[in-house]
Amino acid sequence: MVDLASRIRKIPDFPKPGILFYDISTILVDPLSFREAIRRIAQLAREFRPQVLAAIESRGFLFAAPLALELGIGFVMVRKVGKLPGTVVSHSYDLEYGSDTLQLADGLVAPGSRALVVDDLIATGGTARATVELLAKVGAEPVGAVFLIELVGLGGMSRLGVPARSVLQFPG
Ligand code: AMP
C-alpha cells in the first residue's frame, strides 16, 4: 500500500518566504506512487461522468494525460497567455497583486460537453475558478474539478462554483 501523503515532498519558503510548497516530483519519480495517484484521482473523476478533461498548465498536464487514458476520454490544455496557436478564448482573473490570464483553443471542446477541471493542487481556487469560467465561455458544461492535493485552510473548493473533490487534504 502506497502512502501518497508521506510521498509528497514539502519544501518551506518556496517560491517565497512563508509558502510551504507541496512538490509532486516525488510522486512522479516513483512508478507505484504515480500509478496509485492516477488510480485515486480516476475514482473521484468517474463520479462526474466527464466527456473531456481540462488540464491546467503545467502540473495539471502531468495528471490529466494519464487520467484521460484511464477514463478513455480526451483532454484539453488550459495555458498561460501566448502559448497556444490559432484562435483562443481568454479569461482574466485577479491575483493577490495584479491579474493573470488563461487561454483555451477555440473550437476544441464540443459545445455542451461535460468538462472536468484537473490540477495537481488547489490553494485559493483562483486558477481553477478561472478555468471553470473559460470552459463556460467556449460553450462546454463545467461539471466539476478534481485535484491530487487540497490546501483545506485556503478554502479554494468553495470558490469554484462547481462541485470539487481531492485525493489528499493538507492544512495549507
Ligand atoms: P490557486 O489558484 O491559489 O488555487 O493556486 C493553484 C495553482 O498554484 C496550482 O496550479 C498549483 O500547482 C500552484 N500552487 C499554489 N500553491 C501551491 C503550494 N503551496 N505548493 C505547490 N503548488 C502550489
Side-chain angles (χ1 to χ4, degrees), residues 19-22 56 59 119-127 151:
I19 302 289
L20 180 61
F21 190 84
Y22 291 82
I56 300 178
R59 274 165 281 150
D119 204 358
D120 66 326
L121 180 147
I122 179 165
T124 65
T127 316
L151 303 187

Side-chain angles (χ1 to χ4, degrees), residues 55-58 61 77-93 95 99-105 127 130-131 134 137:
I56 300 178
E57 181 170 358
S58 58
F61 297 172
M77 295 181 284
V78 173
R79 303 208 64 177
K80 309 273 167 62
V81 173
K83 306 272 189 174
L84 289 171
T87 311
V88 295
V89 176
S90 303
H91 185 81
S92 298
Y93 60 105
L95 298 173
S99 71
D100 215 340
T101 301
L102 291 177
Q103 295 185 322
L104 177 56
T127 316
T131 303
L134 199 49
K137 273 190 185 176

Side-chain angles (χ1 to χ4, degrees), residues 2-4 7 24-37:
V2 181
D3 181 2
L4 281 181
R7 286 289 313 177
I24 47 90
S25 305
T26 40
I27 299 274
L28 301 178
V29 77
D30 178 56
L32 285 181
S33 299
F34 192 25
R35 177 70 255 172
E36 176 67 3

